[in-house]
Amino acid sequence: MSLPPGCRRQGENLVCRLNKSLYGLKQASRQWFAKFSEAIQAAGYTQSKADYSLFTCKNGKSFMALLIYVDDILITGNNVAAINSLKQFLHTRFRIKDLGDLKYFFGIEVSRSKQGICISQRKYTLEILKDAGILGARPVSFPMEQNIKLSNEGEILKDPAKYRRLVGRLIYLTITRPDITSAVHVLSMFMHEPRIPHMDAAVRILRYLKYTPGQGILFPTQDDLKLKAFCDSDWAGCPTTRRSTTGYCVFLGNSLISWRTKRQKTVSLSSAEAEYRAMASTCCELSWLRCLLQDLQLTHSEPVTLHCDNQATLHIADNPVFHERTRHIEMDCHFIRDKIQDGSIVTKHVSSSQQVADILTKPLGKEGFSTMLCKLGVLDIHSPT
């Protein structure tokens, strides 16, 4: 490291040798995490293979879990004395500040009640609305028009950076808002060359957020802790590439814990193929969640129920016989058959009206959107009712 100006004498060519990593260096975060991991594992904690930022420790009936993000740490467990002992250990190795019970973490608000734990991003949502100047706009009850098809048509925006910043903030908001995930996914496809219709669609999402700024997710206190999932696809929904969109949501009991909207990599030749690819993606998520729950001492011995509303897809998944219509599908999609055969996944048909993953694949009308929100367990925790 070069010496700062004024500290070097004329003719000298000295440098500083660093004793520890500092903020701003390329390897600072890696070195910090390596040092923290070494210290916490020396204290008897085990690093999770499903999520390397998760450390757990089980000692008899006592169980502790620690989650780290850069230099912010969440600690939980069923033994208060063990939690205090861990805090004391960390304070001897690092200088830490105890902020008390979890209430606010990276824009996510956490509130507790007898019914359970609610998470939302109300403050972050209001900041987005304020910066965009939408606080006085008229609110709407759903984020995107049902039959809208955005494409690369329309006048190009003069200031694309404003659109990119807005969509980037909306992407972070989807951490607790599955209701806007599908709409934000569509807008993120036009980041390279945004146009006026894209900005108008983004403004509509802001007007919807004004309608429900405190909307969040409830994790009930009483639950059965059994995994179940719903998967769906919007066949050839993209007007420019004709690719399909995968959408899935995973529940632990009645709590929504994982959801995703993603454009498929290839064009599907039928709705059954699109649904089959969506089912394979959901199966990957379920396999990962089972490993994560095992690290949290939640053994899920029963098969996970995977709901799909396409009968042809269910037959393809259950029947390992080679078929002419499926020979073009990549082999990685067929691993769901192995999961079904080893008993870790069980498929089940669900009617389209009960398919909650619909909200993640395409824009819904007002009534359908409200119905799916109720089934997802999304609620406005700041509502007077």
Side-chain angles (χ1 to χ4, degrees), residues 170-237:
L170 290 176
I171 290 174
Y172 187 71
L173 189 59
T174 58
I175 293 176
T176 59
R177 298 296 296 261
D179 48 333
I180 65 171
T181 301
S182 177
V184 174
H185 167 74
V186 173
L187 296 182
S188 64
M189 296 172 55
F190 306 100
M191 298 280 266
H192 62 290
E193 197 175 49
R195 301 172 184 269
I196 290 180
H198 308 149
M199 191 65 184
D200 293 339
V203 171
R204 181 181 176 86
I205 296 178
L206 295 179
R207 292 171 59 194
Y208 168 72
L209 293 176
K210 185 178 183 296
Y211 182 74
T212 55
Q215 196 156 272
I217 300 176
L218 172 67
F219 302 104
T221 304
Q222 302 294 332
D223 226 332
D224 56 7
L225 300 181
K226 293 181 180 179
L227 281 174
K228 62 180 178 181
F230 295 81
C231 65
D232 196 17
S233 70
D234 182 19
W235 180 42

Side-chain angles (χ1 to χ4, degrees), residues 325-342:
R325 295 182 181 179
T326 62
R327 63 183 179 182
H328 62 281
I329 301 177
E330 287 85 348
M331 294 306 299
D332 60 345
C333 293
H334 293 303
F335 87 103
I336 188 172
R337 292 176 178 172
D338 299 331
K339 295 295 181 180
I340 293 174
Q341 291 176 359
D342 65 20

Side-chain angles (χ1 to χ4, degrees), residues 58 79 86 95 140 165 183 192 201 240 278 307 368:
K58 182 174 176 57
N79 191 327
L86 175 60
R95 285 185 294 179
V140 294
R165 172 177 168 80
H192 62 290
T240 55
H307 297 82

